């Protein structure tokens, strides 16, 4: 299954949840993989060791997506380690929920837009300068970017909608170099973010899902590897 052999991928937020599943899926297809983590160096090092057992190169890079200035050093570190960048997967994201009118604290709004929107935009812009022709940019978005199914999510939904619009624009700008840009607007997945919610909230959300369950991480990672591959 080496259709990505010789390619180099960067996955943001790759030390757990969806990002970790994507890291292993890309490596299983033969890609060398760099991924970011925020704080747990030991956990990141363990993932590097496991990925390298698949016969590819791996590198963990500590980076804070809430700081747009961190994007260029991150991409530079990938180029220094692997010499190229073919696939960018923007996965890192957060959800700060709160109803409008309940207060005047802008800190949660600023944080969710810094990570979910400006951090993604900055990483795409930094990668676009060095990405190889025929490259792939894949962003893990949310169905909340186009639909809103619960109160208290205005800040989050807005951040995801903005990234969807930016992705459409990036696709046009980078098409002459045959670089594709796609966004996966996922529903609720079996990740820490969902599984740590209160049981009553989980039950309410699952009741609104036709399959009656959260998505499996392999369903997202499988779509990422398709979009990263030659068939896309």
């Amino acid at each position: 299954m080496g259709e990505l052999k010789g390619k180099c991928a960067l996955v943001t937020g790759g030390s757990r949840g969806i990002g970790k599943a994507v890291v292993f899926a890309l490596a299983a297809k033969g890609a060398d993989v760099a991924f970011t983590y925020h704080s747990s160096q030991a956990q990141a090092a363990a993932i590097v060791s496991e990925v390298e057992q698949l016969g590819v190169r791996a590198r963990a890079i500590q980076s804070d997506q809430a700081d747009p200035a961190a994007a260029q050093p991150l991409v530079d570190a990938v180029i220094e380690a692997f010499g190229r960048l073919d696939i960018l997967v923007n996965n890192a994201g957060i959800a700060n929920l709160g109803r409008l009118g309940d207060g005047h604290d802008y800190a949660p709004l600023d944080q969710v837009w810094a990570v979910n929107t400006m951090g993604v935009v900055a990483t795409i812009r930094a990668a676009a300068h060095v990405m190889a022709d025929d490259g792939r940019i894949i962003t893990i978005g949310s169905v909340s970017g186009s639909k809103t199914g619960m109160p208290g999510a205005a800040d989050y939904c807005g951040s995801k909608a903005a990234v969807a619009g930016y992705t459409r624009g990036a696709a046009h700008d980078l098409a002459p170099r045959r670089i594709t840009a796609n966004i996966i607007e996922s529903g609720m997945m079996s990740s820490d973010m969902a599984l740590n919610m209160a049981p009553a909230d989980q039950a309410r959300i699952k009741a609104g899902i036709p399959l009656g369950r959260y998505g499996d991480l392999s369903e997202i990672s499988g779509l990422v590897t398709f979009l990263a591959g030659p068939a896309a």
Side-chain angles (χ1 to χ4, degrees), residues 18 186-192 194-195 214-220:
I18 294 172
S186 72
M188 293 295 288
M189 307 302 297
S190 297
S191 62
D192 293 345
L195 299 178
Y214 293 152
D216 187 82
L217 298 184
S218 66
E219 294 167 334
I220 289 289

Side-chain angles (χ1 to χ4, degrees), residues 131-221:
M131 181 170 282
D133 289 352
D134 298 294
R136 300 285 190 260
I137 297 173
I138 304 159
T139 298
I140 308 300
S142 169
V143 68
S144 297
S146 55
K147 303 177 187 296
T148 304
M150 59 186 291
D155 296 346
Y156 178 77
C157 293
S159 72
K160 293 299 186 178
V163 168
Y166 194 86
T167 300
R168 291 191 291 270
H172 280 274
D173 290 350
L174 299 174
R177 293 171 52 199
R178 302 178 307 282
I179 295 174
T180 63
N182 288 280
I183 186 164
I184 299 173
E185 292 198 331
S186 72
M188 293 295 288
M189 307 302 297
S190 297
S191 62
D192 293 345
M193 185 182 296
L195 299 178
N196 289 335
M197 296 177 69
D201 290 334
Q202 293 196 46
R204 176 178 54 78
I205 291 170
K206 288 179 181 178
I209 300 174
L211 288 177
R213 64 169 177 83
Y214 293 152
D216 187 82
L217 298 184
S218 66
E219 294 167 334
I220 289 289
S221 63

Side-chain angles (χ1 to χ4, degrees), residues 51-136:
V51 171
E52 289 178 339
Q53 292 177 26
L54 298 175
V56 300
R57 296 179 295 171
R59 179 68 61 90
I61 303 169
Q62 187 173 26
S63 186
D64 182 6
Q65 187 160 293
D67 178 12
Q72 191 62 58
L74 168 62
V75 170
D76 291 344
V78 174
I79 297 298
E80 181 179 356
F82 297 135
R84 60 185 295 139
L85 176 60
D86 303 278
I87 303 161
L88 168 64
V89 182
N90 295 299
N91 166 73
I94 61 172
N96 289 336
L97 304 180
R99 291 174 183 263
L100 294 176
D102 285 350
H104 300 284
D105 183 5
Y106 276 75
L109 169 67
D110 292 342
Q111 184 185 36
V112 78
W113 276 73
V115 175
N116 292 358
T117 307
M118 294 310 301
V120 172
V121 168
T123 306
I124 291 175
R125 291 174 68 91
H129 293 288
V130 299
M131 181 170 282
D133 289 352
D134 298 294
R136 300 285 190 260

Side-chain angles (χ1 to χ4, degrees), residues 24-65:
F24 278 96
L26 291 170
K29 294 287 187 178
D32 296 322
V33 186
F35 65 92
T36 68
Y37 68 97
H38 186 265
S39 56
S40 180
Q41 184 176 7
Q43 182 180 14
I47 293 171
V48 168
S49 179
E50 290 183 59
V51 171
E52 289 178 339
Q53 292 177 26
L54 298 175
V56 300
R57 296 179 295 171
R59 179 68 61 90
I61 303 169
Q62 187 173 26
S63 186
D64 182 6
Q65 187 160 293

